[in-house]
Amino acid sequence: FYDSKRGRMVLTGGDYPYTRGDGNALQLVWAIDLAKGSKWELLHGWCSPPGGVQPARPDNVTWVYDSKRDQGIIMPAYYFGPARCPDVSEAKDGYVYDLASNTWQSATWPRPTPAYGGDIHNHWGVYDPVSDGVYRFYWRGSLNMQVLERGANRWEFIPLRGSGVGGTDASNDQSAIDPQGRSIYVISRKLKAMIRYSISKKEVAETIPMPAGWSAPSSEFGGGDMETYLAFDSINRVLLNPVTHNYGGKLLGVGIYHVDTKKCEWEGAPEGVSGNTLAFDATNNVFMFFGRSASRHFWLYRYRAAP
């Protein structure tokens, strides 16, 4: 996520080689300040201090920045299991990461009903600073919105039936929030469209066809568990969708949507770009795209409208 207080990106979870463990689902926390270069800073190591807490090796998870409290919020979908740190409590549960002290803390909210969700469903989320809530598209036989109201520490579960999306499982796709426009967007692979959820109306307000050239992801697993990636540029007010297929993460093209004018664009991709992690850095006005890179590179993309 983008840490707006310090103008940097903060990462946890997922798979990558490290000096400890087997490379699966690491609970380390890293930050990178792109204005200062390409060096990652380790904020939290393998184990919390004795007596502390930490998530049990997060893999596919909700990971959002609560700008009101200067905290990261993590929730399952999928945790790999404990790292077995001595005298540290580790669980497949929700946690808070305090950025001022760089410590993991137990969640203050109860577990949701019916559940957080699993590896194939419900691992993305967004934080809305206006309503002070975490929003997660949730699949339970139909599409729903699962909302954590942070101030009240309670959950709301909202069935979504508008615009024909009830049978659409968009919960394994990255959502993006436009706080100013009071909207959350996610791609429906089934409908080949983008869904716009109205925060104020608590319903699906619009279904937007994807641009020509876009195709739903396919994979070695028949396409069922592949993801789509979406992030919002709050400066130029566009949504960016890097289109990748299969676990190699090769970029096939970029879909661009202007939320105010409802204009769609499609841009071809340069050779060699790949990834499965996307976020927007408003300090440096760039999207950051990385992961699935044999060359161990990450890529930055800046949108600029034609003169």
Side-chain angles (χ1 to χ4, degrees), residues 144-179:
N144 303 271
M145 182 64 80
Q146 188 184 56
V147 186
L148 169 63
E149 301 173 4
R150 284 230 66 195
N153 275 337
R154 65 187 180 194
W155 293 89
E156 184 177 11
F157 196 73
I158 305 167
L160 301 179
R161 301 184 179 92
S163 303
V165 303
T168 295
D169 180 8
S171 61
N172 199 36
D173 298 274
Q174 183 177 8
S175 52
I177 185 170
D178 171 12

Side-chain angles (χ1 to χ4, degrees), residues 213-215 229 240-255 266-278 287-293 299-301:
W214 187 90
S215 59
Y229 309 110
L240 194 78
N241 166 224
V243 179
T244 66
H245 284 217
N246 71 50
Y247 272 13
K250 180 180 178 181
L251 184 63
L252 303 181
V254 177
W266 177 260
E267 183 174 309
E271 190 64 33
V273 179
S274 64
N276 60 1
T277 304
L278 176 71
F287 291 94
M288 185 174 179
F289 188 53
F290 65 102
R292 302 291 180 197
S293 170
W299 290 268
L300 306 178
Y301 178 91

Side-chain angles (χ1 to χ4, degrees), residues 54-76:
Q54 65 187 36
R57 297 175 63 189
D59 189 13
N60 289 335
V61 293
T62 293
W63 178 237
V64 298
Y65 179 60
D66 178 342
S67 53
K68 183 175 182 178
R69 298 167 184 81
D70 192 27
Q71 294 174 339
I73 296 174
I74 194 169
M75 300 175 184

